[in-house]
C-alpha cells in the first residue's frame, strides 16, 4: 500500500469522491454576508439588467473590483438559474482547478508521488477547502494565480520542449490577465515580483528570454484590456477610483480600516494549513537549503512565491484573511516534495500534532458559545453548532491517530492519505454545521417572509443598515437610508438612489401611508425601537435578533 500514487483505480476513485463531495457542498448552505451576499447580488443584477460592463451592487455603481467573478456567476445564473450552489460554482471550480493543477505540475516537475501528495495537501488544507466553498473573490484570484504558477513551473523545467515552453508560457500570460480581471493589478505585480526575485537569487537571468514576452504581452493585453477601456468610456470616474483608491491607497494608507499587526497572517496561516502544520516548517527549510545543478530551480521558485506574497500583504496597510490564499498551491507542492523523502519522525510529528490539535478542539468546544455571540438569543444557534465542531475535532484526532499508526509502520502513502481525508472531512463538517447560524446572519427567512408582501414597483427601504444577502433573496435592490460605507463612491455619482437622512425617510414613509402606497422597510432593532417611540406607522412583518421588517399599511 505504499504505491497508491501509481494505482489508477485508487486515484480515479479518490478524485471522483472528492469532486462529488466538493460540488455537493456548494449548495447546502445559505449565502452568508457580507461577501457571499454581495457577489451573488452583483451577478444577479448583471444577469437581470444585461449590462456586462458596468458592475453594480444594489443598483449602484460598484467599482471596487474587476468583473471576472461577476461575469462567471452571472453566466452560472443564466445557465442554471438563481441559487446558492450556482453563486458558489465559480469559486468551487477554481478551488478544484487549483488542486488538479498543483497535482499535475507537481507530477511533471518533481515526479508522480510528489504530485499525488501536493494534490492531497492542497485539497485538505482548511483554508483552501473553506475558501473554495465560499462565494468570494479570493478563490477566483487564487485559481487564476495557480494557473500562472503551475504553467511557469511546467514551461521552465529543464525537460520542456520548445513547443511545451511556448504553449505553457502563453497559458501563464493568459492566467495573469485573468488574475487582473479577477482582482486587479496584483495579478501582474505579484508574479512579476516573484520572477525578479527568483532571477536574482538563482542567477538564472536567462529565464527572461524564455518567457515569450512578445506573444505573451499581446495575449495578456488582448484579454485584460477591453473591459477596462469599455468601463472607462462609459464611466469616466472609474479609472481613478479603481487604480488610485483601490490599489495605491489600499496598499499604503489605512483609509479602508483593515490594518492588522505584522504577525496577522502568521496567526491565520497556522490553522489555515491544517492538517499539515506539523510538517510545514521542515518543508520550507528543505526548499531553502536544496540546490540542484539543473538550470531551473522549482523549489526556489515555489519558496519565493510563498514568502514574497506573504510578505507583500503583511506589509500592506489593508489586511483580510483571504489575501494569502494564493500561496497555498505553492506550499502544497513544497509539502509534497518534502513528504516524498521525509524521515519517519517528520511524518510522526505531523500526525501527532494533528492528534493534539484535535484533542484541544474537543476540550475547547464547550467554550465556543461564550465567543462572538452578538445577542443572547443567538446562543441556541451556537449550541446547535457545537456537535458539528466536536465531530470535526474528533475526526481530526482520529485521523491523526490512524496516520500516526501508518507512519510508525513506514506506510508513507497511507499516512498522507489518512491525514488528507481527516483534514477535508473536518473542514466540511465545520462548514456544514454553520448553516443555522449563517442563515440567521443572512436574513434569508426574513427575506422569504417579505416576498409575499411585495409587488414589482413597491418601495423597499433599508434604514441605517444594508443586509448584503437579503437583496439577493429578495431578487431586487432596496433604497438605502442614511447608509454609505462601500456605496460612498457610487452614491456620489448617483445621489438620487438613496435617502441621506432618517428624517427624510420618515417624511416619505408617512407620505406613502397617507397616499395608500404600500412600502416595506428593513431596520435594525435599535432603530426600530427609536422609530416606534416616535409613533411612525409600522406593521411588523418579521423580526429576529439582527433586523426588523415592517410595512406601512
Amino acid at each position: 500500500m505504499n504505491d497508491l500514487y501509481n494505482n489508477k483505480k485508487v486515484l480515479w476513485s479518490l478524485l471522483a469522491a472528492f469532486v462529488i463531495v466538493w460540488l455537493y457542498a456548494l449548495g447546502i448552505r445559505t449565502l452568508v454576508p457580507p461577501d457571499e451576499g454581495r457577489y451573488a447580488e452583483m451577478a444577479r443584477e448583471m444577469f437581470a439588467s444585461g449590462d456586462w460592463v458596468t458592475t453594480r451592487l444594489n443598483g449602484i455603481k460598484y467599482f471596487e473590483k474587476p468583473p471576472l467573478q461577476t461575469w462567471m456567476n452571472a453566466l452560472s445564473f443564466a445557465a442554471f438559474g438563481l441559487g446558492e450552489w450556482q453563486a458558489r460554482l465559480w469559486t468551487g471550480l477554481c478551488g478544484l482547478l487549483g488542486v488538479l493543477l498543483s497535482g499535475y505540475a507537481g507530477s511533471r516537475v518533481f515526479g508522480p508521488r510528489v504530485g499525488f501528495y501536493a494534490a492531497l495537501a492542497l485539497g485538505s488544507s482548511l483554508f483552501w477547502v473553506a475558501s473554495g466553498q465560499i462565494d468570494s473573490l479570493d478563490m477566483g484570484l487564487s485559481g487564476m494565480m495557480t494557473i500562472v504558477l503551475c504553467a511557469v513551473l511546467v514551461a521552465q523545467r529543464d525537460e520542456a520542449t520548445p513547443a511545451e515552453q511556448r504553449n505553457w508560457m502563453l497559458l501563464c500570460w493568459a492566467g495573469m490577465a485573468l488574475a487582473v480581471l479577477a482582482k486587479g493589478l496584483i495579478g501582474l505585480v505579484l508574479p512579476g515580483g516573484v520572477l525578479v526575485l527568483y532571477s536574482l537569487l538563482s542567477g538564472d537571468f536567462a529565464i527572461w528570454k524564455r518567457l515569450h514576452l512578445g506573444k505573451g504581452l499581446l495575449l495578456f493585453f488582448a484579454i485584460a484590456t477591453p473591459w477596462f477601456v469599455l468601463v472607462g468610456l462609459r464611466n469616466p470616474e472609474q479609472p481613478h477610483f479603481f487604480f488610485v483608491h483601490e490599489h495605491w491607497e489600499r496598499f499604503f494608507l489605512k483609509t479602508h480600516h483593515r490594518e492588522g499587526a505584522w504577525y496577522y497572517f502568521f496567526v491565520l496561516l497556522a490553522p489555515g494549513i491544517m492538517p499539515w502544520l506539523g510538517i510545514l516548517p521542515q518543508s520550507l527549510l528543505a526548499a531553502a537549503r536544496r540546490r540542484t545543478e539543473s538550470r531551473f530551480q522549482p523549489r526556489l521558485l515555489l519558496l519565493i512565491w510563498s514568502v514574497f506574497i506573504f510578505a507583500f500583504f503583511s506589509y500592506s496597510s489593508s489586511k483580510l484573511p483571504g489575501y494569502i490564499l494564493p500561496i497555498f498551491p505553492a506550499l502544497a507542492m513544497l509539502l509534497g516534495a518534502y513528504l516524498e523523502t521525509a524521515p519517519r519522525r517528520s511524518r510522526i510529528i505531523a500526525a501527532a500534532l494533528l492528534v493534539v490539535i484535535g484533542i484541544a478542539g474537543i476540550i475547547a468546544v464547550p467554550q465556543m458559545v461564550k465567543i462572538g455571540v452578538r445577542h443572547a438569543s443567538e446562543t441556541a444557534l451556537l449550541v446547535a453548532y457545537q456537535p458539528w465542531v466536536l465531530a470535526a475535532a474528533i475526526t481530526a484526532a482520529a485521523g491523526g491517530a490512524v496516520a500516526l499508526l501508518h507512519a510508525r509502520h513506514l506506510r508513507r502513502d497511507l499516512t498522507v492519505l489518512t491525514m488528507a481525508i481527516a483534514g477535508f472531512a473536518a473542514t466540511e463538517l465545520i462548514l456544514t454545521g454553520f448553516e443555522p447560524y449563517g442563515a440567521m446572519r443572512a436574513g434569508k427567512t426574513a427575506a422569504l417572509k417579505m416576498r409575499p408582501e411585495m409587488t414589482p414597483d413597491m418601495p423597499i427601504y433599508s434604514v441605517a443598515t444594508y443586509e448584503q444577502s437579503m437583496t439577493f433573496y429578495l431578487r431586487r435592490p432596496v433604497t438605502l437610508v442614511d447608509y454609505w460605507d462601500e456605496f460612498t463612491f457610487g452614491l456620489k455619482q448617483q445621489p438620487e438612489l438613496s435617502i441621506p437622512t432618517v428624517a427624510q425617510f420618515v417624511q416619505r414613509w408617512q407620505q406613502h401611508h397617507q397616499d395608500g402606497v404600500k412600502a416595506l422597510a428593513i431596520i435594525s432593532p435599535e432603530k426600530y425601537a427609536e422609530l416606534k417611540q416616535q409613533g411612525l406607522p409600522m406593521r411588523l412583518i418579521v423580526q429576529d435578533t439582527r433586523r426588523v421588517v415592517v410595512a406601512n399599511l
Side-chain angles (χ1 to χ4, degrees), residues 207-219:
I207 193 173
W208 293 90
K209 299 178 181 178
R210 307 193 299 269
L211 300 181
H212 292 270
L213 283 168
K215 295 176 182 177
L217 285 170
L218 286 174
L219 180 61

Side-chain angles (χ1 to χ4, degrees), residues 98-109:
V99 173
L100 295 175
L101 277 179
S102 297
Y104 178 79
S107 180
R108 293 294 301 274
V109 177

Side-chain angles (χ1 to χ4, degrees), residues 148-283:
V148 176
L149 174 62
C150 293
V152 79
L153 286 170
V154 177
Q156 297 302 325
R157 75 192 198 284
D158 293 351
E159 301 79 16
T161 66
E164 282 183 311
Q165 186 183 101
R166 180 193 65 243
N167 294 338
W168 281 97
M169 281 311 306
L170 290 178
L171 178 62
C172 176
W173 285 102
M176 280 192 284
L178 292 172
V180 169
L181 287 173
K183 211 170 180 183
L185 294 179
I186 59 172
L188 180 63
V189 170
L190 294 180
V194 169
L195 191 63
V196 169
L197 288 173
Y198 170 78
S199 58
L200 289 173
L201 294 176
S202 68
D204 182 15
F205 296 101
I207 193 173
W208 293 90
K209 299 178 181 178
R210 307 193 299 269
L211 300 181
H212 292 270
L213 283 168
K215 295 176 182 177
L217 285 170
L218 286 174
L219 180 61
F220 173 87
F221 285 113
I223 295 172
T225 303
W227 177 78
F228 287 100
V229 173
L230 286 173
V231 75
L233 289 174
R234 294 188 187 182
N235 307 274
E237 69 277 11
Q238 188 270 349
H240 181 271
F241 176 80
F242 181 79
F243 290 107
V244 177
H245 183 267
E246 285 300 304
H247 283 79
W248 179 268
E249 292 180 1
R250 182 183 289 270
F251 186 82
F252 289 105
L253 305 180
K254 297 182 179 180
T255 54
H256 290 77
H257 305 292
R258 293 172 178 172
E259 60 271 16
W262 64 268
Y263 52 82
Y264 179 89
F265 290 117
F266 284 98
V267 175
L268 291 171
L269 181 61
I273 199 64
M274 289 300 300
W276 310 106
L277 179 61
I279 208 165
L280 179 63
Q282 303 95 303
S283 303

Side-chain angles (χ1 to χ4, degrees), residues 51 56 95 102 130 181-182 280 398 423 456 472 475 488 506 517:
D51 185 350
R56 293 180 173 84
S102 297
L181 287 173
L280 179 63
F472 177 78
R475 304 292 191 255
T488 300
V506 168
V517 176

Side-chain angles (χ1 to χ4, degrees), residues 230-498:
L230 286 173
V231 75
L233 289 174
R234 294 188 187 182
N235 307 274
E237 69 277 11
Q238 188 270 349
H240 181 271
F241 176 80
F242 181 79
F243 290 107
V244 177
H245 183 267
E246 285 300 304
H247 283 79
W248 179 268
E249 292 180 1
R250 182 183 289 270
F251 186 82
F252 289 105
L253 305 180
K254 297 182 179 180
T255 54
H256 290 77
H257 305 292
R258 293 172 178 172
E259 60 271 16
W262 64 268
Y263 52 82
Y264 179 89
F265 290 117
F266 284 98
V267 175
L268 291 171
L269 181 61
I273 199 64
M274 289 300 300
W276 310 106
L277 179 61
I279 208 165
L280 179 63
Q282 303 95 303
S283 303
L284 297 175
L285 286 173
R289 292 170 179 166
R290 179 149 181 170
R291 291 291 184 270
T292 66
E293 298 299 323
S294 60
R295 175 189 64 184
F296 182 54
Q297 306 284 329
R299 285 179 177 82
L300 179 61
L301 180 68
L302 290 169
L303 183 63
I304 292 171
W305 179 282
S306 303
V307 173
F308 173 71
I309 295 176
F310 189 91
F312 180 90
F313 287 116
S314 293
Y315 177 79
S316 172
S317 295
S318 178
K319 295 181 177 70
L320 287 176
Y323 287 1
I324 60 167
L325 192 62
I327 75 173
F328 277 72
L331 293 178
M333 282 184 269
L334 289 176
L335 286 165
Y338 179 72
L339 281 167
E340 184 185 34
T341 57
R344 183 175 67 165
R345 67 176 180 276
S346 293
R347 295 192 294 273
I348 288 175
I349 289 172
L353 181 60
L354 184 58
V355 174
V356 171
I357 290 175
I359 293 173
I362 294 171
I363 296 171
V365 164
Q367 306 302 316
M368 63 178 287
V369 175
K370 301 176 183 178
I371 303 173
V373 178
R374 178 175 167 182
H375 299 281
S377 55
E378 295 177 5
T379 301
L381 293 173
L382 284 181
V383 170
Y385 186 34
Q386 281 184 323
W388 292 89
V389 180
L390 181 62
I394 292 172
T395 298
V402 175
L404 186 59
L405 181 64
H406 289 313
R408 287 176 61 86
H409 289 85
L410 300 176
R411 295 190 284 260
R412 284 185 297 173
D413 289 3
L414 282 174
T415 302
V416 177
L417 178 60
T418 302
M419 291 182 64
I421 292 173
F424 179 68
T427 303
E428 290 293 351
L429 286 168
I430 291 170
L431 291 172
T432 302
F434 189 73
E435 167 56 14
Y437 191 70
M440 181 277 301
R441 285 188 56 192
K444 181 178 180 179
T445 300
L448 295 181
K449 288 184 178 180
M450 289 175 66
R451 285 170 64 174
E453 301 270 348
M454 292 165 47
T455 59
D457 298 325
M458 177 184 292
I460 301 179
Y461 301 97
S462 186
V463 183
T465 187
Y466 176 66
E467 296 283 349
Q468 293 277 10
S469 293
M470 283 186 70
T471 47
F472 177 78
Y473 289 112
L474 290 173
R475 304 292 191 255
R476 54 159 292 176
V478 297
T479 300
L480 298 176
V481 177
D482 190 25
Y483 187 87
W484 299 88
D485 198 47
E486 61 189 323
F487 295 102
T488 300
F489 173 79
L491 288 176
K492 286 180 179 179
Q493 316 305 315
Q494 301 168 288
E496 69 279 3
L497 296 181
S498 76

Side-chain angles (χ1 to χ4, degrees), residues 35-55:
D35 284 1
E36 290 201 295
R38 177 192 300 120
Y39 297 117
E41 174 60 13
M42 289 178 68
R44 188 201 65 79
E45 292 182 33
M46 178 175 282
F47 168 61
S49 69
D51 185 350
W52 295 73
V53 176
T54 301
T55 47

